[in-house]
Each structure stands twice: as structure tokens, then as C-alpha cells.
Amino acid sequence: MKLLLLGANGQLGSDLLRVFRAAGDSVIPATHAEVDICSADRVSLVLGETKADVVLNTAAFHKVEECEKNPALAFQVNATGAMNLARACQQSGAVLVHFSTDYVFDGQKRAPYEETDLPSPLNVYGASKIAGEHLIGCNAERYFVIRTCGLYGVAGSSGKGGNFVENMLKKAMAGDAMRVVDDQVLTPTYTVDLAQATRNLILTQKFGLYHLSSEGECSWYEFARSILKLAGVDARLSPVKTTDFPSTVQRPSYSVLSKIKFRALALSIPPWQDALSRYLKERSTQRHLASVAPTQVSG
Ligand SMILES: NC(=O)c1ccc[n+]([C@@H]2O[C@H](COP(=O)([O-])OP(=O)(O)OC[C@H]3O[C@@H](n4cnc5c(N)ncnc54)[C@H](OP(=O)(O)O)[C@@H]3O)[C@@H](O)[C@H]2O)c1
């Protein structure tokens, strides 16, 4: 496959690049500075030049609080940007693979959400992402829209300044008391597993909307407890309620995604506990390699 990857140096983008290249695909990475998806002309030009068969779009404006303050920008990137890509792909014949979010749901269902469940976003971010999904459906025929949840990867989210696992470990190492909500239930998802599962899904050519996260579910508090336990770090961690952190932004209290449709294609993705162990091993390997790398001397 020849792929154009947008948002290439982001958290998911970095692992898509590694996984697809390791599988032998030709991937052309494009950062925000190289291709802004808000520019329809630039998107069309780059797609025409690269002649990619598949466009992977991880580009998004997903700082939830910032989206609330700046809805115009949220809709520009997450909705109009998605439409620009859909139109360019429809024109060039490329397949569009676009990532969306569990935040399109309000959490009231209290059971894993299926693709047929009606979205009801609680915040501007979720609303702008569902708008992007609809605009893709209206403008392209061959696409995958993949809703995912609670991402973490070694690159860390550029939009959110790191990732939850690293933030927990950093606070624990600093000896900080940690309070984490236990009334928001989700599925933390390792970006390496999502990248691999995305590749397998693309190969089926069964286009459409899919839910794809790690298997299983937990609260943020349970996730934090597992991180500290598996990393062998002692910390002062206590469960709190969402209402203990006053916020202008509402978040779904339950946003687990059902993988029934994905599994029906005879595909699978590992459980979050297994993914977390592999992530922790990978980060310590990377840290070790970084610590033994020769120091560059200039002059
Ligand atoms: N993180 C999560 O927990 C989570 C959960 C559910 C769904 N998702 C979805 O998963 C996708 C990937 O998330 P992620 O965690 O990998 O995010 P990320 O690390 O913040 O990466 C997003 C990338 O998009 C780029 N970007 C932002 N605006 C752009 C624009 N207008 N044009 C081109 N590139 C632009 C960013 O570049 P700059 O940093 O240089 O601006 C960054 O490289 C997003 O669609 C997000 O909505 C994420």
C-alpha cells in the first residue's frame, strides 16, 4: 500500500508510521507544518502529487477545554478538515481512514456503544467530531471512520502534552498525592495495537464506521492503579468523583466502545491490561537506549 499519513508526528501518527512501515508499506508522513487539513487546496495538491492509495488522518484539534473556548477552530479542523480530505480522496480515488472519538456519546447507555447507537455529544469537541464523520459520509464513498478511546503511545499526545500513563508515573516519582476519577469508565488504548488493528481493517476493504479500542474496560482510577502496580511504583493514589474537579466541560461517564462489528470480520485487538504491560516494557527499552546512546560532541 502507498499511504499519505497526516498528523504524522502525533501520538497515533508516530505508531501508524512504525507499524505500516514495518509491514512493508510505503508511507509518506506529513506533519501539521507540511499539510494543514483546513486548506482544501493544499490537501488536494499533496494528494495529487503523492498519488497515495490510502490517506490516514490523525490530525485533530482535541484539547477538550480549548474546543469549548474556541468552537470555530474545533469545527474548522475536526469537521471542515475532514470534509476537505473526503472530497480530495473522492476525486483522487484514494481510501480515507479517519479517526474519531468515543466522546460522540453521552455515556447514558452504561453498556458498550455500537456503531448503530445514536451519538449525543456532551461537548464541542464531540460535536465537531460527529460533524466530521457526517461530512465524510456525505463526500466520500470509500472510507473508514474509526472511533477510538483513551489513547496512549510512546510519542505522547502533542495535543494534550504527554499521555496519561506518563503523567501518572511522573507524579508518582515526584511523590505527589494523586487523585483520579473512578466514575468515568472507558477503555485505554495503546496506539501500537490500534495501528496494527487499523492496518488489518483496511486490508478487508469493508468500508464504513467502526469502533476500535483495546478490549475490556476500567475507570481512570483503575487504570492509574494498574499503571503504578505494573511499573512497581509506590504512590499515594485515591479515587475521587468527577464533581471533585469543577470543569466547564462535560465528559461522558461511560464511553466503552463495542468491537462486535470489528470482530465479525475475524479481527481482534488485545485487552488493555496486556497492552499496558507491553507499553511499559517499550518505554523502559527506549529510555535505556536513550541513556546508552553516545553523546554528540560538537566542534
Ligand atoms: N488522544 C486520545 O485520547 C483520543 C481519544 C479518542 C480519539 N482520539 C482521536 O485520535 C486521533 C489522534 O489523536 P492523538 O492522540 O494521536 O493526537 P495528537 O498526538 O495530538 O496528534 C494530532 C496531530 O494532528 C496535528 N494537527 C493538528 N491540527 C492539524 C491541522 N489543522 N492540520 C494538520 N495536522 C494537524 C498535530 O500537529 P501539531 O501538534 O503540530 O499541531 C498532531 O501531530 C485524533 O483524531 C483524535 O481526535 C484521540
Side-chain angles (χ1 to χ4, degrees), residues 267-279:
L267 299 175
S268 64
I269 186 164
W272 69 264
Q273 296 93 332
D274 169 75
L276 178 59
S277 307
R278 283 182 284 111
Y279 172 84

Side-chain angles (χ1 to χ4, degrees), residues 24-25 50 83 145 148 170 217 220 222 243 250 299:
D25 296 315
T50 56
M83 179 181 74
V145 168
T148 190
K170 206 186 298 170
E217 62 181 59
W220 284 112
E222 288 167 316
T243 48
Q250 276 190 281

Side-chain angles (χ1 to χ4, degrees), residues 9 11-12 32 35-37 59 62 99 125 129 148 151 158-159:
N9 57 356
Q11 179 168 239
L12 177 57
H32 189 173
V35 180
D36 185 336
I37 63 166
H62 63 97
F99 291 90
Y125 169 61
K129 291 293 276 190
T148 190
L151 299 185
S158 51

